[in-house]
Amino acid sequence: NADKRSLVLCETGGTTGRSKVTAYAREDFMNAFPRFYGWVARRRDFPEGLNWLFIGPTGPHIIGRAAVEIAREMGSMEPFTIDFDPQWIKKQVAGSAGFVRYREHLLEQAMVVLETQKIEALFATPPIWASLAGRMTAEERLAIKGIHIGGMTMTAEQYRRFCEELFPKAVIIPGYGNTLFGLCMEVERHADYHIDYFSPGPRHLLRVRREDGTGADYGEEGRVVCTRLDESFLIVNFVERDRAVRIPASETAKSLGLHLDGVRDPRPLAEAVPTMREGLY
């Protein structure tokens, strides 16, 4: 019975097959994505009022909707955007001529924006940033003050290289989530570059279970399970495609009002989802 004018239409990336379409009540969408991002980012001194560059799927895709509102939440105008089709790139074999040409097409467009506009904040996936950094000059990389990375798994070594070698002047904040659940955020960086994510709670619950369905202990790896309870969705014990380590709320998370368990270093479990396809998103 929601007013249709207040709904946000969103689509998944189709990593496990055909894309799914859903709609959020606008307040639920804002709370699950941009407001939670801003809550954490401001407490991590992410700079505000910058020109953003977003490289990723727009259209009805959730990350495109979120990118616009995140930039606004951080005191900026809409981001400069390089749009790409996640469905098309997932059809290309990694390293094939089609895959490489499509990636080059995206990077060429991104470099035009970086060379003609004052861009200081970036938002894209780890493989896009790794490829883009190889084209940017040292001066261009040092001009970047903030980076949000999401959409795909990032290893500790990738994260270390982004922070220490490629973008040492930037506040870098990874995010983890999906279209139906919402956004989980890293609230502090660890010295070893493991990535701990926490949900906004209390309507967004993460847990980690063993293969037999019982709950994992702290420090134990298992399958990620999501529960969401708000006006847009009632999702109970949705088994994600990822594995992760169960962790308790850190003191920093608690200081932000986040007292629920988190997950460390989530990664896709390809053998459990044989149709899973990843490319640049």
Side-chain angles (χ1 to χ4, degrees):
N1 296 324
D3 184 345
K4 291 184 179 180
R5 293 171 297 181
S6 71
L7 297 178
V8 179
L9 185 67
C10 300
E11 186 175 291
T12 68
T15 299
T16 58
R18 181 178 293 181
S19 292
K20 286 80 174 175
V21 178
T22 188
Y24 275 83
R26 183 162 183 81
E27 278 299 296
D28 289 342
F29 170 80
M30 296 297 290
N31 290 333
F33 293 95
R35 287 175 186 157
F36 183 50
Y37 179 90
W39 174 254
V40 174
R42 279 187 281 272
R43 283 151 185 81
R44 293 191 60 177
D45 296 322
F46 195 101
E48 300 189 53
L50 307 180
N51 286 339
W52 286 65
L53 170 61
F54 168 64
I55 307 172
T58 56
H61 195 278
I62 190 75
I63 201 168
R65 298 277 196 251
V68 170
E69 296 300 340
I70 284 173
R72 288 174 171 162
E73 176 71 20
M74 297 306 294
S76 303
M77 64 180 182
E78 291 190 6
F80 291 88
T81 300
I82 307 301
D83 181 36
F84 73 75
D85 181 355
Q87 296 292 322
W88 177 251
I89 197 65
K90 290 175 194 295
K91 291 180 179 179
Q92 309 302 311
V93 176
S96 67
F99 183 96
V100 172
R101 185 66 194 97
Y102 195 82
R103 182 185 62 198
E104 293 301 298
H105 174 61
L106 298 175
L107 296 175
E108 288 167 7
Q109 295 177 79
M111 288 307 301
V112 169
V113 176
L114 288 167
E115 290 165 359
T116 59
Q117 306 296 329
K118 184 182 180 182
I119 300 297
E120 295 176 302
L122 305 174
F123 181 177
T125 61
I128 288 289
W129 289 140
S131 298
L132 190 64
R135 294 189 172 212
M136 297 171 69
T137 65
E139 269 190 356
E140 288 170 332
R141 287 188 278 107
L142 289 174
I144 302 301
K145 298 177 181 176
I147 295 178
H148 179 45
I149 299 179
M152 291 180 69
T153 300
M154 180 168 59
T155 67
E157 175 55 26
Q158 283 177 315
Y159 193 16
R160 183 204 65 76
R161 188 162 182 259
F162 284 137
C163 295
E164 296 182 10
E165 300 176 16
L166 299 178
F167 299 100
K169 300 292 187 182
V171 177
I172 302 178
I173 305 181
Y176 168 70
N178 62 48
T179 301
L180 297 179
F181 182 72
L183 176 66
C184 301
M185 295 281 285
E186 182 202 56
V187 300
E188 61 185 331
R189 185 188 302 166
H190 289 278
D192 58 8
Y193 291 100
H194 287 295
I195 310 175
D196 294 348
Y197 294 108
F198 295 95
S199 71
R203 295 181 181 272
H204 302 74
L205 313 175
L206 288 176
R207 70 182 183 91
V208 178
R209 75 169 200 188
R210 302 186 181 102
E211 290 306 314
D212 63 5
T214 60
D217 293 328
Y218 288 128
E220 184 179 1
E221 186 180 77
R223 196 76 174 267
V224 177
V225 179
C226 305
T227 293
R228 178 166 180 168
L229 311 163
D230 59 24
E231 289 189 12
S232 295
F233 301 110
L234 172 61
I235 302 173
V236 180
N237 294 334
F238 175 77
V239 181
E240 254 286 21
R241 69 184 193 190
D242 299 323
R243 292 180 66 83
V245 175
R246 181 190 177 195
I247 57 171
S250 66
E251 291 306 312
T252 300
K254 291 177 183 177
S255 74
L256 296 175
L258 309 175
H259 296 273
L260 301 176
D261 287 351
V263 295
R264 172 172 291 170
D265 296 334
R267 57 184 175 81
L269 184 64
E271 60 268 28
V273 190
T275 58
M276 185 169 64
R277 302 168 298 161
E278 287 193 317
L280 297 175
Y281 181 84

